[in-house]
Amino acid sequence: MALTAEESGRLAALLSEHVDQVTQRWTETVAASLRGRLSQVELRSQLQELRQAIVTTAENGIVDLDAEYAAELRAVLAELSRGRARQGFSATETAISVFALKEVLLELLESHGGESTLRDYVAFSALIDTMGLFTFESYVRTREGLIADQAEQLLELSTPVVKLWEGVVAVPLVGTLDSARAQVVMERLLQTLVDTGSPYAIIDITGVPAVDTQVAQHILKTVVAARLMGADCIISGIRPQIAQTIVALGIEFGDIATKASLADALRHVLRLTGVETTRRSRRGA
Amino acid sequence: MERVPILKIGEILLVSIQLDMSDQTALQLQEDLAERIVATGCHGVIIDITALDIVDSFVGRMLSSIASISKVLDAETVVVGMRPAVAITLVELGLSLNGIRTALNVERGMELVADARADEFPYDDELADGSDDDPETTSSP
C-alpha cells in the first residue's frame, strides 16, 4: 500500500520534526509489550534506525515498501525481525514493534495534524500494516531457516557407519527413519562399502522405535542397492514387538539374513568369511 | 567407431567400460567378447563399470545379455565397481539386474570367479591336463 506524494511528505515531516517524542513514545509502547526482555537502549536504537529509514525513503520519493529505493527500509525491517526470531520473541511481540508506530502517529496527528487528519491516519495505518506483514514474513522465514538447519544437523549426527571387523561395516540406526534420513543412510553406507571395500554390511535397527511398511521399504532398497554393488547386508537388532509388527504387516525380507542382535549378526558374518573364534583356556585351569 | 578393450588376465577376461555405451558399441562388445571367450577358453568375465556415471535400462539389458552369452559359453560373469549413486538409481528404477553377480572391486570379482569355478568343479585341478575333451580346457596351461 503506497502513500501519495503529499501523504509521504506529511509523514516524513511528522517523523522528522518530533524526533524525540516519536522515539520516546514508540520505545515506551514496545518496551511494555516486550516486558523488559530487551534493553531500552537497544530497543531505542533499533526504532530510531527504523524511523530514519522511513524518513529517508520519503525523501527519495513516496513511501512504498515495494519500491526499489525502499531497499534500506526493507533491510532494516528484515534485520529487526531476524533479531527478534533469533532471540526467541513470539511473532506477536515482533509485529507489535512495528504496529506501535500507529499509536505514536495518532497522538502526533491529534496534536499537530491539520484538516486531513483522518485521511492521513488511515493511509499511514495501511502503510504500517504492510510493514507489519513484511516483518511477519521475515520472521517466519528466519524461523523456517532455523528449523531447516536443525533438521540438517540432526541428519549429520545420526548416521555413523562403523567398521566392526576387516571387511564388515555396521550402521546402527537410531530414531525414526523417514525418506530423507533413509536416503542419507543409504548413500553413506554404500559409499563406505566402496571406500573400505567391505563385502558385508550389518544394518542394526535396535534404535528404530517402529517399523512400518515404509521403513521396511527403505531398508529393503538399501539392501538391494548394496547387493547390486556386490555386498551382502544383514539386518540385526529386531526387537520382539518389531518382529510381531513385521509379520502382522506381511513384510517379506525374502532371502535377506535377519538376526536378533548385533552380536549374532557379527558371528554370522565371521562364519561366512571363515573366521573362527575360540575362547582361550585360562592359565592353570 | 570406438571399441571397448577386452584384456586377458590369467583365466579371466577383463572388460573395463570407460565410455558412454551406444547401441553400436554395445553390440560390438558382445560380439568381441563372445569371440574372445571362445578363442581364449576363459571361464570368467569381469565387467568393470567404475567409470560409468549412468546405468540406464539399456546398459542394464546389455549387461544381462553379456551375462547370458557368457553363460552359454560356460563363463561366469561378474559386474564390479558399481557406484553407490548408480546402485541407488537402479533400485529406484526397479531394475535388479537379475542373474548377474556383482562384486565391489576387480579383486573381489576375481575371487568370486575363482570360488564359483571351485564350487562347480571341485576336481578341476586333477583334470586340468588331459582327460577332458573340451578343446578350451586342454589349450589352457
Side-chain angles (χ1 to χ4, degrees), chain B residues 7-125:
Chain B
L7 315 170
K8 181 174 180 292
I9 302 174
E11 280 290 278
I12 290 168
L13 289 178
L14 176 65
V15 182
S16 182
I17 299 178
Q18 306 277 354
L19 41 99
D20 288 334
M21 298 300 288
S22 67
D23 288 30
Q24 276 298 313
T25 333
L27 286 176
Q28 188 67 47
L29 174 62
Q30 288 176 15
E31 254 173 58
D32 290 354
L33 191 61
E35 260 171 47
R36 289 277 283 171
I37 293 174
V38 173
T40 57
C42 287
H43 291 288
V45 175
I46 292 180
I47 304 174
D48 174 33
I49 57 168
T50 316
L52 281 191
D53 280 325
I54 298 163
V55 172
D56 50 13
S57 54
F58 169 70
V59 176
R61 204 182 60 227
M62 179 199 77
L63 293 175
S64 289
S65 57
I66 286 182
S68 308
I69 293 170
S70 309
K71 195 78 212 159
V72 173
L73 297 170
D74 192 24
E76 195 71 45
T77 308
V78 182
V79 172
V80 305
M82 186 184 292
R83 293 189 185 189
V86 171
I88 292 171
T89 318
L90 284 179
V91 173
E92 296 293 341
L93 286 176
L95 297 171
S96 54
L97 300 187
N98 280 326
I100 300 180
R101 285 165 179 257
T102 50
L104 284 172
N105 48 42
V106 176
E107 206 176 351
R108 300 244 175 230
M110 291 170 92
E111 282 171 20
L112 201 61
V113 171
D115 286 353
R117 209 55 207 160
D119 286 348
E120 210 172 331
F121 299 105
Y123 47 86
D124 204 23
D125 292 343

Side-chain angles (χ1 to χ4, degrees), chain A residues 36-86:
Chain A
R37 277 194 282 159
L38 204 63
S39 77
Q40 288 266 353
V41 184
E42 198 178 340
L43 191 57
R44 180 183 284 268
S45 77
Q46 277 177 1
L47 297 180
Q48 220 150 23
E49 201 182 350
L50 184 53
R51 189 198 58 82
Q52 190 54 48
I54 299 175
V55 174
T56 317
T57 313
E59 280 164 5
N60 290 335
I62 55 172
V63 183
D64 178 4
L65 209 54
D66 298 326
E68 208 176 305
Y69 51 79
E72 194 197 333
L73 179 56
R74 284 197 297 271
V76 171
L77 282 174
E79 183 54 43
L80 179 86
S81 22
R82 256 204 300 280
R84 291 281 198 284
R86 290 249 162 75

Side-chain angles (χ1 to χ4, degrees), chain A residues 191-226:
Chain A
Q191 193 56 52
T192 315
L193 289 178
V194 175
D195 294 345
T196 59
S198 312
Y200 291 100
I202 300 173
I203 301 177
D204 186 78
I205 57 169
T206 314
V208 180
V211 172
D212 54 11
T213 44
Q214 206 182 357
V215 172
Q217 192 64 31
H218 289 316
I219 295 176
L220 286 178
K221 272 186 187 172
T222 312
V223 175
V224 174

